[in-house]
């Protein structure tokens, strides 16, 4: 009897002890993002922002990519371009969309990236068309001569997209970005969209064509054909120059800012995976793998907008994922999902495949849904919340925090920018030679306004030599430090 009583006491003591805690899964570093566009409800007022933050948190995601510039307008209050005139947007006296979103998202541990449409600026259907402060009023398709910063087609049609063969289009874009970063220092990232031409027949701004003709020794009044290889490379170089300048300008203001770009992946790469035949490279002149290799974006987000239920589209999607894993360059890739095309289950399948390593162990750094408004085909507010729960229960079951990219948090290289000048006079198109610790490193070519820049430079002492016409020279001695931009 004594033994039985002792046993009962022992059992009671054991059952009274607290149950051992279930060990929570450690968070992985993985970007889980939603693009939030300005056309649809999402951040037009305080309740929408509250709902947005709650939904992203609910899904187990960690990043909001919010559209703050659509067509040369500002969906934020402190801007050099006019505030968006959408009547659904709460008045500026009551509401700053970006300011409030930053505050609410950061309270919940979410990151915010400002999404800017870069090239598309002028549309006659826009409410700000004709606004005295809008860039298109003085420099759009109806402007004349060098005052026109927008592009044209080979056939002569004027198009309301910036032409980055015109130096002023680049300079204006830089001013918009620099002001935004200084006005909202809490931003975690900045995201380029439409950083490209509209097609192979685009790019015929008068200033750009004349610059090309001078650079190639052609008659100033000649007109290159759309498929001319040299002309195609010229336009490709102008888009890359813009990406380089925006990257360095942004890092000069905030070294920790994450710079990303929405990248084109139309159709198929073909069985041989020939990048040179891709639409991005050959049609819209967006050589985004080269940007990753150089290091002038931190994250590429290829827009893999493919319907899972269509066998050919599914094959294209998987083909692009394979391309992504093999082409991260110095930086990284996050797969963009065309969520509005698919059912919840199809989206989950695409996410799962995007996050699965290949046979060589190469893995992408996350996924981004386009879009928050179209979380899946036919979604509404209530069904979107249910989809967020579904994500949390499946592909986002393991917690994840937004990645700290090693080249940002523990940099080993630095960046350099300057204005090429000799005897105090700007020298466009000058040769700029970088000499590192007494040894030649590389030659650069200054832009049309004299700007030059380079990224991923080994730290140390540099001599920068500006040369014009192989005769006139100017020397500068500078120091490049890891993770920082040295500006001349």
């Amino acid at each position: 009897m004594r033994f039985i009583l002792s046993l009962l006491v022992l059992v009671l003591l054991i059952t009274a002890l607290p149950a051992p805690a279930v060990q929570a899964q450690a968070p992985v570093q993985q970007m889980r993002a939603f693009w939030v566009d300005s056309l649809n409800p999402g951040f037009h007022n305080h309740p929408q922002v509250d709902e947005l933050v709650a939904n992203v948190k609910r899904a187990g995601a960690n990043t909001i990519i919010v559209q703050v510039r659509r067509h040369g307008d500002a969906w934020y209050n402190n801007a050099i371009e006019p505030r968006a005139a959408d009547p659904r947007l709460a008045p500026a006296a009551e509401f700053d969309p970006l300011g409030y979103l930053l505050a609410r998202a950061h309270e919940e541990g979410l990151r915010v990236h400002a999404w800017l449409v870069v090239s598309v600026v002028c549309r006659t259907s826009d409410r700000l068309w004709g606004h005295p402060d809008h860039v298109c009023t003085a420099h759009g398709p109806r402007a004349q001569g060098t005052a026109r910063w927008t592009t044209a087609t080979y056939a002569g049609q004027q198009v309301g997209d910036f032409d980055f063969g015109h130096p002023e289009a680049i300079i204006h874009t830089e001013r918009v970005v620099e002001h935004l970063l200084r006005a909202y220092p809490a931003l975690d990232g900045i995201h380029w969209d439409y950083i490209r031409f509209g097609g192979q027949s685009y790019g015929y701004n008068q200033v750009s064509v004349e610059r090309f003709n001078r650079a190639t020794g052609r008659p100033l009044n000649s007109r290159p054909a759309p498929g001319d290889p040299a002309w195609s490379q010229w336009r490709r170089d102008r888009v890359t120059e813009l990406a380089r300048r925006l990257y360095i300008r942004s890092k000069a203001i905030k070294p920790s800012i994450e710079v990303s770009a929405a990248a084109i992946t139309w159709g198929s790469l073909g069985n041989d995976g020939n990048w040179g035949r891709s639409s991005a490279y050959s049609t819209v002149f967006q050589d985004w793998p080269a940007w990753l290799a150089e290091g002038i974006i931190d994250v590429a987000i290829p827009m893999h907008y493919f319907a899972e239920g269509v066998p050919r589209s599914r094959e294209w999607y998987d083909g692009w994922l394979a391309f992504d894993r093999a082409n991260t360059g110095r930086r990284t890739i996050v797969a963009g999902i065309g969520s509005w095309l698919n059912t919840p289950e199809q989206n989950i399948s695409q996410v799962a495949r995007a996050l699965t390593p290949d046979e060589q162990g190469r893995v992408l750094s996350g996924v981004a849904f386009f879009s928050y408004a179209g979380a899946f085909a036919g979604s509404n507010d209530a069904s979107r919340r249910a989809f967020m729960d579904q994500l949390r229960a499946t592909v986002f079951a393991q917690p994840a925090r937004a990645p700290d990219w090693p080249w940002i948090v523990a940099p080993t290289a630095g960046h350099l920018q300057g204005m090429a000048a000799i005897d105090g006079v700007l020298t466009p198109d000058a040769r700029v030679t970088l000499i590192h610790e007494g040894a030649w490193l590389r030659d650069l070519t200054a832009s049309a306004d004299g700007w030059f820049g380079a990224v991923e430079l080994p730290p140390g002492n540099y001599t920068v030599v500006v040369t014009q016409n192989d005769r006139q020279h100017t020397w500068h001695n500078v120091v490049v430090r890891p993770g920082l931009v040295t500006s001349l």
Side-chain angles (χ1 to χ4, degrees):
M1 178 64 74
R2 186 178 298 171
F3 172 77
I4 294 173
L5 288 173
S6 299
L7 188 61
L8 285 171
V9 170
L10 181 61
V11 169
L12 289 171
L13 287 172
I14 291 173
T15 56
L17 291 173
V22 177
Q23 187 173 2
Q25 287 182 297
V28 295
Q29 288 201 50
Q30 186 180 87
M31 182 183 284
R32 298 172 178 175
F34 286 88
W35 275 292
V36 185
D37 69 272
S38 59
L39 278 179
N40 291 290
F43 66 104
H44 295 160
N45 53 47
H46 294 95
Q48 287 184 16
V49 171
D50 292 342
E51 171 83 355
L52 166 64
V53 169
N55 274 331
V56 173
K57 187 82 172 177
R58 183 177 192 143
N62 51 42
T63 303
I64 297 170
I65 305 173
V66 61
Q67 189 176 48
V68 301
R69 184 184 197 242
R70 183 168 173 264
H71 292 163
D73 52 4
W75 294 74
Y76 54 103
N77 288 7
N78 190 345
I80 62 172
E81 294 184 309
R83 192 177 191 263
D86 193 314
R88 300 170 300 171
L89 184 61
E94 304 171 6
F95 181 61
D96 182 347
L98 183 55
Y100 184 67
L101 174 59
L102 280 166
R104 288 288 294 111
H106 286 171
E107 285 174 4
E108 297 297 334
L110 306 177
R111 292 186 183 178
V112 177
H113 293 211
W115 160 18
L116 290 81
V117 172
V118 176
S119 62
V120 182
V121 286
C122 313
R123 294 293 184 269
T124 56
S125 58
D126 289 341
R127 290 185 175 89
L128 290 175
W129 179 258
H131 189 287
D133 296 329
H134 196 282
V135 66
C136 292
T137 303
H139 303 291
R142 296 181 181 177
Q144 299 299 313
T146 60
R148 182 189 294 138
W149 300 350
T150 48
T151 197
T153 67
Y154 180 70
Q157 178 187 358
Q158 296 300 321
V159 179
D161 298 356
F162 268 164
D163 191 314
F164 297 109
H166 195 309
E168 293 296 338
I170 288 183
I171 292 168
H172 178 83
T173 306
E174 286 179 329
R175 289 180 59 236
V176 170
V177 170
E178 290 175 319
H179 185 94
L180 171 63
L181 290 175
R182 290 191 174 103
Y184 296 87
L187 272 170
D188 303 292
I190 194 157
H191 179 72
W192 319 135
D193 191 13
Y194 284 88
I195 183 166
R196 58 179 177 85
F197 283 94
Q200 192 181 54
S201 65
Y202 289 61
Y204 289 86
N205 176 278
Q206 171 190 334
V207 171
S208 182
V209 172
E210 290 182 0
R211 287 181 62 203
F212 169 75
N213 287 333
R214 288 192 187 94
T216 56
R218 303 186 186 190
L220 284 184
N221 62 351
S222 67
R223 197 170 180 78
D228 182 326
W231 174 234
S232 294
Q233 188 59 47
W234 168 268
R235 289 174 287 177
R236 198 174 295 118
D237 288 343
R238 302 288 69 78
V239 179
T240 295
E241 176 193 347
L242 173 66
R244 185 181 300 116
R245 289 179 67 143
L246 293 180
Y247 185 83
I248 295 175
R249 294 291 200 194
S250 299
K251 296 290 183 175
I253 294 170
K254 185 173 182 177
S256 64
I257 197 76
E258 297 176 36
V259 179
S260 62
I264 292 296
T265 58
W266 294 336
S268 170
L269 269 173
N271 294 331
D272 59 356
N274 188 324
W275 172 248
R277 288 202 295 267
S278 69
S279 295
Y281 185 87
S282 64
T283 303
V284 299
F285 310 113
Q286 185 191 72
D287 193 3
W288 57 266
W291 303 352
L292 290 166
E294 183 180 348
I296 53 176
I297 53 174
D298 296 314
V299 185
I301 309 183
M303 295 176 285
H304 300 323
Y305 300 164
F306 298 109
E308 181 74 2
V310 179
R312 185 177 67 167
S313 293
R314 177 189 170 99
E315 180 181 336
W316 289 351
Y317 176 78
D318 289 339
W320 277 109
L321 292 182
F323 179 86
D324 293 347
R325 296 185 188 103
N327 289 278
T328 54
R330 294 176 180 267
R331 299 300 193 239
T332 197
I333 292 177
V334 166
I337 308 292
S339 59
W340 88 96
L341 295 168
N342 298 309
T343 66
E345 292 73 24
Q346 289 171 334
N347 281 326
I348 287 170
S349 177
Q350 288 196 349
V351 170
R353 301 205 304 282
L355 299 180
T356 300
D358 65 10
E359 293 177 354
Q360 300 178 48
R362 298 175 299 193
V363 64
L364 302 180
S365 294
V367 293
F369 289 84
F370 188 85
S371 66
Y372 172 73
F376 62 89
S379 64
N380 56 38
D381 288 353
S383 62
R384 180 173 55 202
R385 293 186 199 105
F387 178 57
M388 299 300 177
D389 292 337
Q390 199 172 354
L391 288 173
R392 188 68 172 261
T394 55
V395 285
F396 289 171
Q398 183 173 5
R401 59 186 179 87
D404 294 320
W405 311 116
W407 57 90
I408 294 178
V409 297
T412 59
H415 318 305
L416 174 69
Q417 69 172 346
M419 300 297 291
I422 295 177
D423 297 329
V425 179
L426 289 175
T427 54
D429 305 314
R431 185 173 77 249
V432 180
T433 301
L434 305 184
I435 301 172
H436 176 238
E437 304 293 353
W440 175 89
L441 183 67
R442 72 176 72 163
D443 286 335
L444 312 173
T445 300
S447 300
D449 63 344
W451 182 92
F452 63 89
V455 302
E456 292 297 309
L457 297 174
N461 297 305
Y462 281 78
T463 300
V464 180
V465 184
V466 179
T467 305
Q468 186 180 43
N469 300 326
D470 293 323
R471 292 189 300 274
Q472 297 173 290
H473 305 278
T474 296
W475 289 264
H476 304 274
N477 294 315
V478 298
V479 178
V480 171
R481 296 179 173 84
L484 300 177
V485 176
T486 298
S487 298
L488 287 175

